[in-house]
Amino acid sequence: EIVIPKKIRESIGLSHERPILLELKDKSINLSAAPTNLLRRMEERAQKYNMNVKTMVYGDRLYEEVF
């Protein structure tokens, strides 16, 4: 669990209503407010591969496509 101070969350648009995009690159973690259509795009790709978007994990075919 990570606690991000309120002023920082507000400055980058993080909220309880908006999903957070967590990206791992090398030995760094990048947190950002997810694009508003990201979940819809992930759901569309999940349907394409007969997968459930709620059970996706890193390495699934959905991540192999460029968003």
Side-chain angles (χ1 to χ4, degrees), residues 5-65:
K6 184 178 180 181
K7 288 189 183 242
I8 294 173
R9 291 192 318 265
E10 290 174 344
S11 71
I12 61 173
L14 298 180
S15 70
H16 292 289
E17 295 83 29
R18 190 161 180 194
I20 294 174
L21 183 60
L22 185 140
E23 297 176 286
L24 301 172
K25 189 172 185 179
D26 299 320
K27 293 188 178 196
S28 298
I29 297 173
N30 181 41
L31 294 174
S32 59
T36 54
N37 65 347
L38 179 66
L39 293 179
R40 181 184 52 77
R41 290 169 39 198
M42 290 175 67
E43 288 171 353
E44 289 171 356
R45 288 192 176 97
Q47 289 176 354
K48 178 180 176 181
Y49 293 110
N50 296 317
M51 299 172 73
N52 182 342
V53 72
K54 294 180 182 186
T55 61
M56 289 183 351
V57 294
Y58 182 76
D60 281 342
R61 287 181 285 181
L62 297 174
Y63 286 98
E64 293 173 10
E65 292 188 32

